[in-house]
Amino acid sequence: MVEVRPLTPSIGAEIIGADIRQEADFEIVRQAFTDHSVIAIRDQELTPDDQIEFAERFGPINVNRFFKKHDTHPKVALVLKEADQSKAIGEQWHTDHSYDDEPAMCSILHAIETPPVGGDTVFASMSAAYEALSDKFAEMIDGLNAWHSSRHVFGAAAADSENSKTGRIENPALAKQDALHPVVITHPLSGRKGIYVNPEFTTRIDGWTEAESASVLRFLYEHCAKPDFHCRVSYRPGTVTMWDNRATWHKAINDYAGHRRLMHRITVEGCSLNR
Ligand code: SIN
């Protein structure tokens, strides 16, 4: 019997008793993903081929240009931190692939090796954050667009980072994406409005001065970082966490010094975003 347990009223659910290799469990998993934006499916026994097959039920796989790839399954990206490394991948709040014209729909993270404690991911609901704004402020940002870029995160400027030097992030020459998206989008599945800017990849609000843009983005980032809009997923090997990049932010908590953490990640193609 498959059980879906919400983690908070606004975001996240844990799924117990499912086997995502089984067709029979797919519909309940898909519905939970639509309803909760983040799902942590416990106790899966998956090969990389199983994870690829599950991801492809949602759409074509978007092979990440920058993450180190699995040796035999290049559609699977490695999210790795060795015991002697200090930086984790994805420590800052972000939305995967917001620098693409058609940002990834979802990311699917399969926990392979986890620290004894720590190494959680925190998620934020962008629709809950939007709905908590005053009507007048929401009206003001509703008409805006913002630029997003991969250049400052994955390009030459990042060559000195530990993630690049250890080969966990690669291909700086491919970091050429700049994309313009509405600051507030209507979610393609749920129809809910949500904030679509993030501290990692958003560079500025289109048509505003640097100071105007920085000031409003800072306010939005502080607002979305309130724990009221968050859920937190902890892992054990076999947990598969899937999140909707059009509805959430996430950040990896780097609190497990001295331990190895290895995740297999797949991102699924999305669509262009509209207000
Ligand atoms: C990511 O940012 O895609 C990875 C998140 C995590 O490792 O917790």
Side-chain angles (χ1 to χ4, degrees), residues 67 79 89-91 94 96 107 109 119-123 235 243 250-253 256 261 263 265:
F67 283 41
V79 178
I89 291 172
E91 283 184 44
H94 64 284
D96 295 335
S107 305
L109 199 66
D120 298 352
T121 314
V122 184
F123 296 89
Y235 297 93
W243 60 88
H250 61 281
K251 68 183 280 185
I253 305 297
Y256 50 98
R261 178 180 184 270
M263 307 294 207
R265 196 185 89 166

